[in-house]
Amino acid sequence: VQLQASGGGLVQPGGSLRLSCAASGLTLASYTTSWFRQAPGTEREWIACIRRTSTGTEYADSVKTRFTISRDRTKNTAYLQMNTLKPEDTAVYYCAAAGRGICSRDGSSYRYWGQGTQVTVSS
């Protein structure tokens, strides 16, 4: 089983990026998938979740209205569309998958993790 996160990079404030989380060895639609992020010197932060077998989503207040999580069953991939990026969004972003049907903000609830992709928002 592998989750491969990609799509990070350097973007100016106000810009957009789309992160991808490609799964192999599991059917991502059967897992609740979340995105977390961790900036240097800070704790890992849960930011978005899409529940398994449905399109129900939840967001942290810090990204609500700017970020959108989605899933493409045909590509076995989850996405995080990030708009209106701010310097405080700079972090390593991780995707994670859990077998439970509800969203959890606790990273220990997730069995599978991607390797992380760096997002830097700077002018």
Side-chain angles (χ1 to χ4, degrees), residues 66-83:
R66 299 188 299 123
F67 290 10
T68 302
I69 189 171
S70 62
R71 181 174 55 219
D72 186 328
R73 292 172 179 263
T74 64
K75 296 183 178 179
N76 206 26
T77 299
Y79 301 97
L80 185 68
Q81 177 67 43
M82 305 186 296
N83 298 328

Side-chain angles (χ1 to χ4, degrees), residues 2 4 12 14 35 40-41 48 53-54 57 66-67 73 76 91 97-98 112-113:
Q2 186 177 19
Q4 182 73 36
Q12 292 187 343
W35 286 93
T53 70
S54 77
T57 58
R66 299 188 299 123
F67 290 10
R73 292 172 179 263
N76 206 26
Y112 303 110
W113 288 82

Side-chain angles (χ1 to χ4, degrees), residues 23-51:
S24 58
L26 61 81
T27 300
L28 201 55
S30 298
Y31 288 78
T32 292
T33 304
S34 278
W35 286 93
F36 292 78
R37 67 185 181 186
Q38 187 168 23
T42 70
E43 293 187 352
R44 183 174 57 197
E45 175 190 16
W46 171 86
I47 57 173
C49 175
I50 183 166
R51 289 191 287 277

Side-chain angles (χ1 to χ4, degrees), residues 100-122:
R100 59 179 59 193
I102 60 173
C103 288
S104 173
R105 303 187 179 205
D106 181 355
S108 65
S109 299
Y110 294 83
R111 180 173 182 180
Y112 303 110
W113 288 82
Q115 84 288 3
T117 184
Q118 175 71 47
V119 172
T120 303
V121 184
S122 175

